[in-house]
Amino acid sequence: MRLLLDTHILLWALEDNERLPERARNLISNLSNHIVVSAAALWEIELKHAAHPHRMPCDAEQVSILCQQAGYQSLPISGRHVRALPTLRYDDNHPPHHDPFDRIMLCQAKVDGLALLTHDSLLPNYLEGCVLYV
């Protein structure tokens, strides 16, 4: 399985944080799964680091190096990902989801046949089969 890690899951996995759900930990450590990291996650990390370095002590460069060391694959954002944005379906009976980084990662997962591994409780409200909520 090809797993695209959302930003929280990525950071928790890299630091072996206890907040990483056990199911996510098992999926990430399973050598038959391929772990993919979006440029959107790195962008989000860099923005948070610049705004609040005390809350986000690592920057995108540091995380990128850790991803390479862990053997994670890098996924750039392409035009096909951006064009998928209007195709996303959301269950309007739930609170709105406004995170643009999550939406581009969801588009990447949808277009590239990845499972978006997330702990964000709003992402399963997208009516897309590529969300893997843990």
Side-chain angles (χ1 to χ4, degrees):
M1 181 182 330
R2 294 182 65 218
L3 300 170
L4 178 61
L5 306 185
D6 82 357
T7 306
H8 279 104
I9 297 289
L10 169 63
L11 291 171
W12 293 339
L14 289 174
E15 64 183 24
D16 195 24
N17 190 299
E18 64 185 27
R19 290 181 285 180
L20 182 66
E22 190 66 28
R23 183 171 177 219
R25 187 179 306 279
N26 292 338
L27 287 165
I28 293 167
S29 65
N30 183 333
L31 297 178
S32 66
N33 291 331
H34 300 280
I35 308 304
V36 180
V37 175
S38 172
L42 297 175
W43 188 345
E44 181 177 15
I45 289 166
E46 188 63 33
L47 287 175
K48 289 181 178 184
H49 173 74
H52 305 285
H54 59 284
R55 288 190 358 222
M56 178 65 72
C58 55
D59 63 18
E61 181 66 25
Q62 293 166 318
V63 172
S64 182
I65 290 168
L66 292 172
C67 288
Q68 289 174 345
Q69 291 171 347
Y72 298 170
Q73 297 174 343
S74 176
L75 179 62
I77 300 168
S78 73
R80 70 182 188 280
H81 300 134
V82 176
R83 288 188 298 275
L85 186 60
T87 72
L88 294 181
R89 298 168 296 131
Y90 192 80
D91 184 346
D92 292 329
N93 295 318
H94 292 89
H97 181 262
H98 299 292
D99 188 324
F101 297 105
D102 285 343
R103 288 199 306 268
I104 194 62
M105 285 186 262
L106 184 56
C107 288
Q108 288 177 302
K110 180 177 181 176
V111 168
D112 290 352
L114 305 166
L116 177 60
L117 193 58
T118 185
H119 192 60
D120 184 328
S121 62
L122 291 178
L123 282 177
N125 297 326
Y126 280 95
L127 305 174
E128 305 294 340
C130 56
V131 175
L132 186 54
Y133 179 71
V134 292

